[in-house]
Amino acid sequence: MGTFKNLDRLLDSFTQGSIPGCACVVMQNHDILYESYSGFADIEKGAKINERSIFRQASTTKLFTYAIGMMLFEEGAFRFTDPIYDFLPEWKNTTKYVQIPGRAAQVVPVEHPITVKDAFTMSCGLPYCMRPLDHVTDNPTVNAMSEAVRPYCKDGKIPTLRDEVRAMGAVPIMFEPGTHWLYGLGSEIVGAIVEVITGKSVRQNMKERLIDPLGLKDTATFLDEEMMGRLVTCYQITPDKKKEPMPRELDDIIKIGGAPEYSRANLNCSCRDFAVFMSMLANGGRYKGESLLGRKTIDLMRTNQLGPDQLRDFWHYNGVDILGYGYGMGVRTLMDKAPGASNGSLGAFGWSGGYGSWAETSPEDHLSIVYMHNTQGEHNELFHVKVRDVVYGCIE
């Protein structure tokens, strides 16, 4: 059996190399088994990473959004077979592009409407196009998305989530719903459905349904001045291996008042707070006596939902951190240990974020693992799988 001293050495090796700073928290049965911080939150200031350092979550925010969606499912607010136009009427007449060799792509009606499940499983045919582009791509759906959102972004305006999703309702999607997997706007559609059902922003739902009940004191979608002071500096690694800080003005939208309440929500939190959230998922939806989500609902969430063609899309799109995983309701879920040589437990599930966050929870072991660092890109997944392998080696 391994030892957590191996994890200490691994994290230190990261920060002695290309990673400025990192954090890792491992919990089992709601108890912290391991917690460690290495390297710098801000190299220039000499500020070290610690238990109160706040990390930008980017796509790991989706785990909160999907958990809220699963709460609404078990409240009877929707079924996964429901068409999304039941909640978002602008999606009533969805069309798709059909590529005919030697001819321009043709626009035709879809055979089946996009369902709520298609949105949860990234099978709705829309990639990401966050803002208007200044160039034309070779993807007609991306080009149409760029033009659809352009009116909502004039003069630097930040659109609401509902505006973004409403704009995309007229865009021809890339394929027949449910036939392929494509990382993209599915989670934003889920967020919009959450807002329609609850009459509240995704941010408010996160606060009321997860942040407050779990007692997450170092978690917010908008940061006040004190929390901004604890936000780690994010670095990009230049071709000559220098650590270059990202422009601070990019963080303006996460300050209080920096964006509309109903704009797309992105979490910012400490590693320990995120581990508490993942621990709730690892322990049947309960945390310290309070039940937030049903155990069987979590089992559905972590059940692979993709068919053979979709799985090929999933494996092709992602890196080594998803080898052997399928995709459930918004999460990767371990199906086969062999392809990625994983020593984890089948059914373990989670996701990762573009700024270096990675999270996995194993209901079989009542275990949650959260790792975060402050580097964008830099083959994040190569760090993630090493952390995963070392942690599982320490678990009886």
Side-chain angles (χ1 to χ4, degrees):
M1 180 173 159
T3 168
F4 280 116
K5 289 182 180 179
N6 292 335
L7 191 51
D8 287 333
R9 287 189 283 268
L10 181 67
L11 300 185
D12 287 343
S13 74
F14 291 170
T15 57
Q16 289 164 11
S18 60
I19 298 301
C22 64
C24 186
V25 177
V26 181
M27 297 181 69
Q28 191 170 37
N29 296 315
H30 301 316
D31 296 320
I32 293 178
L33 289 185
Y34 175 87
E35 183 172 19
S36 185
Y37 304 91
S38 180
F40 291 94
D42 189 296
I43 297 171
E44 292 72 25
K45 295 178 180 178
K48 294 292 191 76
I49 295 280
N50 61 46
E51 69 277 4
R52 300 202 69 209
S53 295
I54 292 176
F55 294 80
R56 304 160 189 79
Q57 291 311 301
S59 288
T60 33
T61 301
K62 291 177 171 62
L63 293 172
F64 272 54
T65 302
Y66 289 125
I68 292 166
M70 299 306 290
M71 290 176 181
L72 294 175
F73 163 75
E74 67 177 18
E75 291 169 13
F78 64 82
R79 299 211 71 235
F80 284 105
T81 52
D82 292 341
I84 64 171
Y85 63 65
D86 281 357
F87 310 94
L88 309 171
E90 62 269 22
W91 289 84
K92 179 71 174 178
N93 300 305
T94 303
T95 59
K96 64 182 179 181
Y97 281 113
V98 175
Q99 192 66 54
I100 301 174
R103 297 172 58 185
Q106 304 295 304
V107 177
V108 301
V110 295
E111 298 170 29
H112 306 283
I114 298 173
T115 64
V116 176
K117 178 183 174 181
D118 294 331
F120 269 80
T121 60
M122 293 291 181
S123 301
C124 58
L126 285 166
Y128 269 125
C129 183
M130 305 275 199
R131 295 290 180 266
L133 304 176
D134 59 4
H135 62 281
V136 176
T137 75
D138 59 2
N139 185 320
T141 294
V142 171
N143 296 333
M145 292 174 75
S146 174
E147 293 310 305
V149 78
R150 191 178 299 277
Y152 295 95
C153 299
K154 287 183 178 179
D155 302 319
K157 182 181 178 183
I158 299 173
T160 66
L161 175 62
R162 282 292 289 116
D163 281 344
E164 284 186 288
V165 172
R166 186 178 295 108
M168 299 309 167
V171 171
I173 61 178
M174 287 179 60
F175 48 76
E176 180 65 22
T179 60
H180 290 279
W181 186 93
L182 177 66
Y183 196 59
L185 207 73
S187 58
E188 279 66 33
I189 292 175
V190 172
I193 291 172
V194 166
E195 291 191 345
V196 169
I197 290 173
T198 65
K200 299 177 180 179
S201 69
V202 171
R203 299 174 192 277
Q204 191 64 24
N205 274 280
M206 288 179 177
K207 179 172 170 46
E208 293 179 1
R209 289 176 175 266
L210 292 169
I211 295 173
D212 287 350
L214 291 171
L216 308 182
K217 304 299 185 184
D218 295 316
T219 300
T221 57
F222 288 133
L223 302 183
D224 60 23
E225 187 174 343
E226 189 275 333
M227 295 181 81
M228 285 296 299
R230 293 189 279 124
L231 182 68
V232 301
T233 298
C234 189
Y235 293 86
Q236 292 178 314
I237 308 303
T238 65
D240 57 354
K241 299 301 179 182
K242 292 182 180 178
K243 300 176 178 72
E244 186 174 282
M246 292 175 57
R248 275 292 184 178
E249 54 267 26
L250 294 178
D251 289 331
D252 288 346
I253 61 171
I254 63 176
K255 298 176 182 177
I256 291 176
E261 168 69 21
Y262 280 82
S263 61
R264 185 191 290 117
N266 276 301
L267 277 177
N268 308 278
C269 70
S270 68
C271 192
R272 185 187 292 175
D273 270 8
F274 210 94
V276 167
F277 163 71
M278 296 299 287
S279 181
M280 177 272 292
L281 296 175
N283 290 277
R286 300 182 68 84
Y287 185 73
K288 293 187 175 179
E290 184 166 0
S291 181
L292 279 73
L293 194 58
R295 176 178 60 84
K296 291 185 177 294
T297 304
I298 294 172
D299 285 345
L300 171 62
M301 186 180 188
R302 67 191 181 109
T303 298
N304 174 58
Q305 303 291 326
L306 305 185
D309 290 341
Q310 294 168 303
L311 280 171
R312 279 190 286 270
D313 297 331
F314 181 53
W315 294 332
H316 176 75
Y317 182 87
N318 284 275
V320 296
D321 58 330
I322 56 86
L323 293 174
Y325 288 83
Y327 195 76
M329 298 300 186
V331 295
R332 64 168 186 273
T333 182
L334 186 60
M335 298 169 55
D336 186 348
K337 297 183 181 185
S342 171
N343 57 350
S345 297
L346 295 178
F349 66 101
W351 199 242
S352 55
Y355 292 123
S357 296
W358 177 89
E360 180 157 300
T361 191
S362 171
E364 178 179 322
D365 305 297
H366 302 286
L367 181 77
S368 65
I369 313 167
V370 177
Y371 166 83
M372 297 179 180
H373 65 225
N374 53 343
T375 304
Q376 187 177 32
E378 192 59 11
H379 299 293
N380 286 337
E381 68 277 6
L382 300 180
F383 300 90
H384 300 162
V385 291
K386 288 182 178 180
V387 171
R388 180 195 67 189
D389 297 344
V390 172
V391 171
Y392 280 117
C394 299
I395 303 303
E396 294 186 7

